[in-house]
Amino acid sequence: MLAQLNSRLLAARLDARFIAMQFGVYDAALRELTIANAGGTLPLLVHNGEVTEVNVGGMPLGLLPEAEYDEVTLSLSPGDMVIFASDGIHESMNKEQEEFGVDRLKALFVNRHAQ
């Protein structure tokens, strides 16, 4: 899907514009989520109270014709969560001009699980 979108965006000649996104397909029968990433932030997996980044990277859409997009398949258990957050969340700042960041986002979900 991402490779097709990339080809179409390149054909549209958007001149120095690109799109960062993630694409996922969930198979409910198998409890599997397959994720591909086109330049978005890494998704987070919450499993048994631990929060880890899902290592699935990729080039934003519309930049290079030869971009390839890897897939990662997660086997999920009841209670697991997968969090997709845009860079707007990671880069949002408080009044002290400190970025929210991935570590604070992770802490939100560790704390939520502990309640």
Side-chain angles (χ1 to χ4, degrees):
M1 178 60 71
L2 293 180
Q4 287 181 1
L5 286 171
N6 188 55
S7 294
R8 289 181 186 229
L9 285 169
L10 286 166
R13 301 177 190 254
L14 297 176
D15 294 333
R17 295 182 191 243
F18 63 90
I19 297 173
M21 69 173 287
Q22 297 151 343
F23 185 81
V25 175
Y26 182 65
D27 183 329
L30 297 176
R31 287 192 175 140
E32 290 183 342
L33 177 64
T34 301
I35 303 169
N37 189 352
T41 60
L42 296 179
L44 301 177
L45 171 63
V46 182
H47 176 75
N48 290 332
E50 291 186 31
V51 182
T52 57
E53 291 177 290
V54 179
N55 189 15
V56 58
M59 181 72 60
L61 300 172
L63 288 180
L64 298 172
E66 65 275 359
E68 294 183 11
Y69 300 96
D70 296 330
E71 295 179 352
V72 170
T73 299
L74 305 173
S75 294
L76 301 174
S77 300
D80 286 356
M81 291 188 291
V82 179
I83 293 90
F84 296 91
S86 74
D87 58 351
I89 292 174
H90 291 259
E91 295 171 3
S92 63
M93 293 193 183
N94 61 16
K95 61 184 178 183
E96 287 82 27
Q97 299 298 306
E98 300 169 323
E99 285 191 357
F100 189 73
V102 70
D103 290 333
R104 286 188 181 141
L105 185 60
K106 286 180 180 179
L108 282 176
F109 291 99
V110 168
N111 293 338
R112 181 172 185 251
H113 188 272
Q115 294 177 353

